[in-house]
Every structure is written in structure tokens, then in C-alpha cells.
Amino acid sequence: DEFDKMEEADRTAIHEVMEQQSVSLAKNGITTTLNCRTTVLAAANPADGRYDSKKSPVENINLPPALLSRFDLLFLLLDTVDMEKDKNLARHVTKVHCCYDAKKAESAVPQEEMYSFKAFNAEFLRTYISKARQLKPLIEDELMEDIVSAYVAMRQEETVGDRDERKSYTTPRTLLAILRLSQAHARARLSNRVDREDFDEAIRLMKASKESVELSAPAKKGKNPVDLIYDIVADLHRQMDPSSEGQDVWVDMGHVVSLASHKNFTKEQVEEGIAHWESVNVLYRSPDQSKVKFFVPPATADD
């Protein structure tokens, strides 16, 4: 936690840990190198203590690019006002501070009623994680070619378009991240082989990570809010269907609202913008109002 407040000496030392999976020690005349096999999950605050939507993500994050590039995934999480999410968070926090006595815990509200899922107990998780860590999933030659093609396509996409706010780049470290995520997903299935579903999930996570940063750039001054809503839906559409040829690509409304909130748009403003494009037969919403798609795919930058 508080990754942004790390001292410069420690920040330099962590480069070796994350890149070489080793840590060098020099104490009391003893110099040695130890293996490092663990996952680094870091959380950092914005540069000024609060995220400024008028600045770019890089200006808000304010961490060395060489350090950020060593993380497989990078997500931008904003504290936006959402009544349902706020209610669930408040219930969870109060639940943690209640039922400190075993007798009171027995008479408390059942976990299934408090949450929409049933949590696993600690013993099961320890056994499951111990078993998964023993596996070393391998990638077959057929899937290897698909991974190479996906990496080349991601590199090629960055040379097309005029998205000036793009702040993340695809490097060989991205390829290693795809391999690690694919193998991790295979371990979660307790499998010794990386299958297509593992690779697809790794690509989905990579795209979601990029979206959270790339589409959080500040809104251009003087631009019509309705046009900005269109741009958000179009960007999500292109990332789900890079060819922009399919008309059956649905974009989740919750994702649109989330990205719009990064640009200081409320849910009501998003609804108004979508309604406008519906009235001119540009967008179409699903019957349950949870998804939206284009009648005609949006034009690419080359068009």
C-alpha cells in the first residue's frame, strides 16, 4: 500500500525483484542473491491526493514509467458516487465491525443474505492455492502461434489512429505478461496445459487494463458532451471488434457509465447522450437497457 510514497532507494531495489525475480542482499559482510517468487499487488494514491479529471492519467499517477511497465496489469480506480455500490460497501464495512463475539455471530444475519455469494473458508483456500502452485502449465505450439499473432496485432493497433491520449504501450514485457496471465488462469483451473480459454481471458484482462487508463484522459475543452459519449461507446466498440466490421457487437452500459464518470459525467448525462443517438438511429439499446450497439459500425481513423 502507499506505493507512491516509497523511498527512491527501495523503488530502485524493487526493479530487480520484478524483472529478474531475484533480490540481492549485502549485510554484515555477506553478499548473496535470493530467489523471489511472489506476486506484487500495489496500490498508490494520485499525485495530489485526489484524482484530477482535468489532467492526464500519467500526470495523476506520477510514477516512473520504467517501474509501471514492470506490472502486468494496471487499473485506474476512481471513487465515483454510485448509490448501490456505496450501500454495499457500507454494509461490508459495518459487517466487519460487527459480530465480534462467537455467540453473537451465530445469531447474526446469514452470510448468504448479506452478500450475493457464499465465501470459501480459509482451510479450503489454503489447500486450493497450495495445489495450484504445484502446477506448471505448458503452452502448445498451436496456441503459441496465436499468442504471437495477438502480440503483433496489439503492436500494429498502436500505429493506427489518432488517439493522442494513449498512455500505455505494448512492449515485449506485455508479451511476457500475456504468458504469465494465461498460465495463471490455467493454474486456477488446476490444469497442466494452457488452453484457448486461458489465453482469451489473459487478452481480456490486458484490454480491460488498457481501457481503464487510455479512456480516462481529460475531456477536450469545448467539445459537445453528446459527442464525448459517442466517442466512449465508439472506443469500446473498436476495442471489442478492432476490424469495425461486425454490427452485433454489444457494449455494456455499465462500462460506458464507468468510463464517462472519469470525465466528470453523471449517469443521467450518459443516459441523455445515449437517448440522443437513439433518436437519430445511430445507437440501439437492448430490451433490458443494459447494452448498446451501433446500427452501423463507427468509422476508423483511416476512414
Side-chain angles (χ1 to χ4, degrees), residues 33-61:
T33 300
L34 303 177
N35 290 331
C36 178
R37 296 289 187 270
T38 187
T39 299
V40 178
L41 179 62
N45 294 316
D48 299 323
R50 186 174 181 84
Y51 192 87
D52 188 351
S53 60
K54 296 181 180 179
K55 296 181 179 179
S56 67
V58 169
E59 292 173 324
N60 278 285
I61 296 174

Side-chain angles (χ1 to χ4, degrees), residues 28-187:
N28 299 327
I30 300 176
T31 303
T32 185
T33 300
L34 303 177
N35 290 331
C36 178
R37 296 289 187 270
T38 187
T39 299
V40 178
L41 179 62
N45 294 316
D48 299 323
R50 186 174 181 84
Y51 192 87
D52 188 351
S53 60
K54 296 181 180 179
K55 296 181 179 179
S56 67
V58 169
E59 292 173 324
N60 278 285
I61 296 174
N62 195 27
L63 286 173
L67 181 60
L68 291 177
S69 66
R70 283 174 165 79
F71 286 92
D72 293 344
L73 298 172
L74 178 66
F75 289 97
L76 180 62
L77 304 178
L78 298 184
D79 183 18
T80 57
V81 178
D82 187 305
M83 185 175 69
E84 191 63 27
K85 291 182 179 180
D86 293 343
K87 185 185 298 183
N88 291 336
L89 176 61
R91 285 177 176 174
H92 174 73
V93 172
T94 53
K95 175 69 175 179
V96 171
H97 291 274
C98 293
C99 308
Y100 58 89
D101 190 1
K103 294 182 179 180
K104 291 184 179 180
E106 294 178 357
S107 60
V109 179
Q111 189 180 62
E112 293 80 0
E113 297 183 11
M114 176 66 68
Y115 306 111
S116 59
F117 61 89
K118 182 179 179 180
F120 295 112
N121 57 47
E123 182 179 358
F124 173 83
L125 286 177
R126 279 194 292 266
T127 304
Y128 172 76
I129 294 173
S130 176
K131 178 66 176 178
R133 293 183 65 180
Q134 296 175 8
L135 302 174
K136 296 182 179 180
L138 300 178
I139 301 175
E140 296 183 348
D141 293 341
E142 296 179 0
L143 188 58
M144 181 184 67
E145 291 300 323
D146 293 336
I147 294 176
V148 172
S149 299
Y151 170 72
V152 173
M154 292 173 66
R155 294 271 295 180
Q156 187 64 26
E157 285 179 14
E158 294 183 350
T159 63
V160 180
D162 57 349
R163 188 183 295 171
D164 295 334
E165 67 268 22
R166 186 183 67 241
K167 297 300 181 183
S168 61
Y169 303 93
T170 302
T171 65
R173 286 177 180 165
T174 306
L175 177 60
L176 293 175
I178 295 175
L179 295 175
R180 282 192 289 264
L181 292 171
S182 299
Q183 292 175 318
H185 193 266
R187 288 193 185 95

